[in-house]
Amino acid sequence: MLAVPANAQDRAAIQTQFEGWLRQEIWPRAEAKGVSRKTFDAAFKGITLDWDLPDLVPPGSTPQTPKQQRQAEFGQPAKYFSRGSLDYATREGRKMAKAHARPLAAAEAQTGVPGRIVLGIWGRESNYGSAAIPHDVFRVLGTKGFMSTRAAYFTDELIAALQIAEAGHAPSSAMKSSWAGALGQPQFMPTNFLAYATDGDGDGHADIWRSEADTIASIARYLQSHGWVKGRDWGFEVTVPASVSCTLEGPDQGKRISDWAAIGVKRVSGRPFPDHEVKEEGFLLMPAGRNGPAFIVTPNFYVLKDYNMSDLYALFVGHVGDRIQYNSGDFSAKWGNVGGLYRSDVAAMQRALEKMGHDVGGADGLPGFKTRRSIGRWQESRGQPATCFPEASMKSALR
């Protein structure tokens, strides 16, 4: 987290600036979108800045790459697939599959998105609606719209949240969010609610807070709208021979699945790739480089990433969905002991690679596929086997 003013007087002065920003910038935008003064005043009554949120940039300060990682996506990949998380999501997902079979089937018929995939997202986002969502959405989005590294984005979300309140989609007590401002059981950002929230139970409302049918229908519609390809899977765990470089990873280096098979990439199950998949495009995914499971994924995997821009998130959703429906077990390959670096360490490596001409996707401290394969290419240029993942031992050479 960035350093923020500890002095109470400084914070009081910034609070005054925040209140002025609400009056001068947010109210005119909200009014133009049809928000009443009554709704606006109720939303911000007694609201103070939340100094505990991540990535804050108070007025007069300079953004920095945070040292701490707040989400598991930024740490060790193995932790994201903890025994407890997998078992809970699978066990409860099977119960939900039975309890809500009708709306799941209806959503699949309407959108082409399998029920198991909807369940995977629902479980990950809110533990099927049982997770506590503690934050006031207006405080979160107000704080982050006023002073964060993505202020313009969060300001747009704040306006959308006010529109939701004005329309009466949920009682004020339900306008709780995550620390990032996401709402309800599917954890939609407010703009996504306005675009994709769907009435799944036919009562005339799209209630993602209290209706399981609406939650299911809304998740399915989101994925359909982002390009889910009906009839295709999300991906397959594979073995990648040493002759196939991990630098071939990424959604911009696709091949027909039959071509991957021709160079030795095989499913861990020993079964051939399905007939309807072999002529279609697939992509190599190695989220821990050579230090973990490998996959051939389809375009549907990247639709899952549109829900949350994390390879591990999309992988978790697909994997849990398979466990729910097919009773599949753990991944065949084990996660290696990698990750756990500070984001600032990874960002320093990324900047060093950029100076060498590599496209790492930005020096944000997050080891995405562009960073992973850039590390692999750098390793190969030094005559080393490519492992395609940032490691502590690389810090001295990449700085």
Side-chain angles (χ1 to χ4, degrees), residues 186-303:
Q187 285 290 273
F188 275 179
M189 293 302 290
T191 55
N192 285 335
F193 176 92
L194 294 178
Y196 306 114
T198 302
D199 176 15
D201 56 19
D203 68 353
H205 301 283
D207 186 346
I208 63 170
W209 294 271
R210 296 162 297 187
S211 169
E212 290 83 1
D214 292 2
T215 295
I216 289 165
S218 298
I219 293 171
R221 182 183 174 197
Y222 181 100
L223 296 177
Q224 178 195 37
S225 299
H226 283 76
W228 185 271
V229 182
K230 182 179 180 179
R232 293 205 69 184
D233 209 319
W234 66 267
F236 310 89
E237 188 184 358
V238 297
T239 56
V240 180
S243 58
V244 176
S245 174
C246 54
T247 63
L248 294 177
E249 182 184 8
D252 54 352
Q253 299 190 105
K255 303 176 186 287
R256 290 199 308 179
I257 290 180
S258 59
D259 292 335
W260 287 112
I263 61 174
V265 176
K266 300 179 181 179
R267 293 178 68 182
V268 297
S269 66
R271 297 190 298 272
F273 292 101
D275 290 342
H276 70 279
E277 295 278 10
V278 292
K279 294 182 180 179
E280 304 294 339
E281 192 171 30
F283 312 91
L284 181 63
L285 173 74
M286 302 182 75
R290 287 282 180 182
N291 301 290
F295 306 86
I296 293 295
V297 297
T298 77
N300 285 341
F301 177 86
Y302 295 101
V303 174

Side-chain angles (χ1 to χ4, degrees), residues 68 80 82 112 182 205 239 262 281 286 293 306 350 375 379 399:
Q68 300 298 329
Y80 202 81
S82 70
H205 301 283
T239 56
E281 192 171 30
M286 302 182 75
D306 283 334
Q350 290 170 323
I375 286 173
Q379 290 172 310
R399 62 182 178 183

Side-chain angles (χ1 to χ4, degrees), residues 275-359:
D275 290 342
H276 70 279
E277 295 278 10
V278 292
K279 294 182 180 179
E280 304 294 339
E281 192 171 30
F283 312 91
L284 181 63
L285 173 74
M286 302 182 75
R290 287 282 180 182
N291 301 290
F295 306 86
I296 293 295
V297 297
T298 77
N300 285 341
F301 177 86
Y302 295 101
V303 174
L304 294 177
K305 280 193 68 175
D306 283 334
Y307 208 101
N308 180 314
M309 288 301 295
S310 160
D311 289 331
L312 298 182
Y313 175 93
L315 191 58
F316 186 94
V317 166
H319 182 50
V320 166
D322 289 350
R323 293 168 71 94
I324 290 170
Q325 183 162 335
Y326 304 127
N327 294 315
S328 57
D330 293 341
F331 294 135
S332 177
K334 303 301 181 185
W335 297 102
N337 186 25
V338 293
L341 297 173
Y342 284 132
R343 282 180 62 180
S344 54
D345 290 333
V346 177
M349 295 181 195
Q350 290 170 323
R351 288 190 290 270
L353 288 164
E354 284 179 330
K355 289 178 182 177
M356 298 176 195
H358 293 281
D359 176 10

